[in-house]
Structure formats: structure tokens, C-alpha cells
Amino acid sequence: PAPLSAAMVAQPQAGSDERFAHSVGEHFEAFLENYSSEVPEGMDTSAADEPAPRDYIDQCNEMKSNERNTLYVDFSHVQDHNTELADAIEADFHYLEPFLRQALKNLMKREHEEYATDDKDFWVCFFNMPTQLNIRDLKTAKIARLMSFAGTVTRTSEVRPELIEGVFMCETCGTNSDPVPQQFKYTQPVKCKNPSCPNTSLWALRTGPGEAKFVDWQRVRVQENASEIPAGSMPRTLDVILRGEQVERAKAGDKCIFTGTLIVIPDVRQISGLPGERLPPRRGGGR
Ligand SMILES: [Zn+2]
């Protein structure tokens, strides 16, 4: 792919440009495909007897053999490989995350076509960020950035299925909608896609294969580590939403480092609850 322009990375608004996001996705895919922590960046190894091991190709192979869908990326590897790429991901993670997932899916499709079927989603988790904040440091300025903080888990919710994308049937004419991504609340189509149908409000969620996509969802409450609470202050807490294979990895009492992004959740709980809270708790191991 063409080099990322440093000027674009430096502009906070650049992330709203979809072309830029696609370019970030291409660079991330190249990183996953080529990165080797055993070979210094830029060294030509084409004459070597054995090809250098590639960290993320190896991990893709493990994902397939263990039937997992999450890739864990050491952020210092991204910085080592391409500083502009690392800066872009860090500055605009919330917007770029779907493009990073798509990059991983493209790679999985090339490496393991029979495993990476169209209905399967893959997830990217980062760790080893250069700075680690504590809960008291988290300010609104860091919203949508990739960051990490440390804390102690005090409470965990049940694991529930969260609707992340749904197809809706028009109850007036029976036409199915295109998949509607769900954003913090139950989101239905704006208008029926049948041009001669006036329906804007009567919908039924389709639940057939490929029509509704769910992911495991869990909320955990995290409190400042005791050592970080200033003398005489009350400990601060933060709710963290965990998805997919991250659920049930932390239990009350665990000291953890969380890596992700801060978002402001619109106050829609009065109306409809958070997406993951709309559906009954998952029972047993399956969905
Ligand atoms: Zn209709």
C-alpha cells in the first residue's frame, strides 16, 4: 500500500476520511502478514536459509486450530513496524477498529479460507501500550483514543448476548432491510427499502442464520488500585464493557490492565437499556 501521509495522521479530523481508514486497514494487514519480532525492521532476509517466523501468521494458525476469533497484538510491534500506523490507530481507534477487524478477516481468508467463512467475525485486541493510565487520569479528552489503564475488578455482570447487527422485516410489505449496525441502543431501519412502501416504524427483527449477529457481552466494574488513591480520597470506579472472547476472563478481586477506548454512552437506558441488556442472560455454555 501507499505510505501513510504523516500530515494526515497529524490532523485529528483525518480519521473521518474513509479513504484514510481503508489505507490504515491495508497497512495493518501488511503489518500482520509480515511482522517478525525476531528480525529488525528493514533488514533484508530474502537470502536467509529459513524464513523468519512471523508472529501474527503464527497466531492466525493457532486461532484456526483452537477455533478462536481474537488476535492479540503487541502495540510496541506496531510502533516498531510503522510509527505513522501506530499513531493513527492510537489517535482514532474507535473509528478505525472496524477497518482493523476487516484487515484481520482478509488475512484469515487468505491463510485459512475454510475457517474464515463469511458469517464469522474476527476481533483485534491490543496490549502493551506505551503509557498506562489510572482511572483518575481518564479525562474526556481521551475519548475514542486507544489507551490502557489499570484497576481492580470489583463486580462482574452476567454474560449476555448483544445484538451487533440485525436484519429487519417490514411489517407492512414483508421486505427485508439491509443489515442495520446497532449503536448503543436497539436501532431499527429508518425507512422500508421498498420504494413504494411508506413504512417507517413497524419492524420485526429477523432471527434466521446470518440475519441477526450477536456477540457475548459483559459489564465489569473496575476500581482504582488501592496504591493509586490519594490520601483521604474516595476510590473512583469505571464500568468496562467486555465483548467476545474477553468475557469471563476477569473476576472480582483481579488486578487487570484494560486496553480499549472510552466512549460516552448516550442516556438511552430509560428507553431501551444497553444493547446487551435487552435480551435474557445466556444460559449454559452455548448461545
Ligand atoms: Zn415495506
Side-chain angles (χ1 to χ4, degrees):
L4 288 170
S5 147
M8 290 182 77
V9 172
Q11 292 165 5
Q13 294 308 308
S16 61
D17 181 345
E18 196 168 332
R19 261 181 321 172
F20 178 75
H22 280 290
S23 170
V24 167
E26 286 172 16
H27 281 269
F28 187 65
E29 196 174 325
F31 159 77
L32 294 179
E33 186 160 16
N34 299 308
Y35 185 79
S36 173
S37 55
E38 294 184 18
V39 178
E41 277 296 317
M43 181 189 273
D44 182 8
T45 57
S46 52
D49 292 338
E50 278 181 38
R54 290 176 295 165
D55 299 53
Y56 297 102
I57 293 293
D58 289 350
Q59 224 190 104
C60 285
N61 297 341
E62 285 167 27
M63 281 163 68
K64 187 212 164 217
S65 31
N66 300 328
E67 297 192 12
R68 309 295 281 185
N69 59 25
T70 307
L71 182 83
Y72 297 88
V73 175
D74 184 331
F75 194 75
S76 73
H77 290 173
V78 187
Q79 290 179 305
D80 178 30
H81 174 80
N82 182 335
T83 316
E84 286 81 17
L85 176 64
D87 289 349
I89 292 172
E90 191 173 0
D92 221 349
F93 178 72
H94 184 62
Y95 177 72
L96 294 172
E97 192 258 354
F99 297 87
L100 306 180
R101 272 193 274 139
Q102 185 60 47
L104 172 58
K105 175 123 190 201
N106 296 344
L107 182 62
M108 285 299 285
K109 269 186 169 310
R110 277 206 303 283
E111 296 288 317
H112 302 290
E113 198 185 350
E114 72 294 354
Y115 180 61
T117 48
D118 285 341
D119 61 331
K120 208 168 271 170
D121 283 327
F122 292 94
W123 304 84
V124 178
C125 286
F126 289 98
F127 66 97
N128 198 18
M129 297 300 292
T131 49
Q132 186 186 305
L133 306 170
N134 58 44
I135 290 176
R136 216 160 273 263
D137 299 328
L138 303 174
K139 298 275 157 59
T140 50
K142 299 200 170 70
I143 278 171
R145 290 176 65 87
L146 181 64
M147 50 108 219
S148 72
F149 72 92
T152 303
V153 175
T154 57
R155 232 196 288 166
T156 61
S157 77
E158 286 173 294
V159 174
R160 297 156 187 259
E162 175 189 31
L163 182 68
I164 52 172
E165 197 175 272
V167 169
F168 293 83
M169 188 189 74
C170 169
E171 290 188 337
T172 305
C173 74
T175 302
N176 277 348
S177 75
D178 294 329
V180 181
Q182 302 293 300
Q183 292 162 335
F184 309 121
K185 63 184 175 65
Y186 193 59
T187 308
Q188 296 179 327
V190 176
K191 189 187 176 309
C192 182
K193 75 174 191 184
N194 172 357
S196 61
C197 173
N199 179 31
T200 56
S201 60
L202 300 169
W203 310 102
L205 177 65
R206 304 281 306 170
T207 53
E211 292 179 321
K213 252 188 206 176
F214 293 92
V215 66
D216 282 345
W217 177 102
Q218 184 182 36
R219 180 209 297 268
V220 303
R221 179 148 294 174
V222 184
Q223 184 174 302
E224 282 179 297
N225 288 327
S227 59
E228 285 153 4
I229 306 169
S233 298
M234 293 291 287
R236 297 205 183 158
T237 63
L238 185 74
D239 280 355
V240 175
I241 304 297
L242 302 172
R243 292 194 170 89
E245 291 172 355
Q246 306 320 304
V247 305
E248 287 178 334
R249 290 190 70 190
K251 57 184 191 306
D254 286 351
K255 278 191 177 181
C256 299
I257 297 170
F258 294 89
T259 303
T261 188
L262 283 178
I263 52 165
V264 176
I265 296 181
D267 190 12
V268 293
R269 268 175 281 191
Q270 300 288 337
I271 316 163
S272 61
L274 285 170
E277 292 169 324
R278 288 189 51 81
L279 294 153
R282 188 187 66 166
R283 304 201 190 280
R287 281 192 201 152

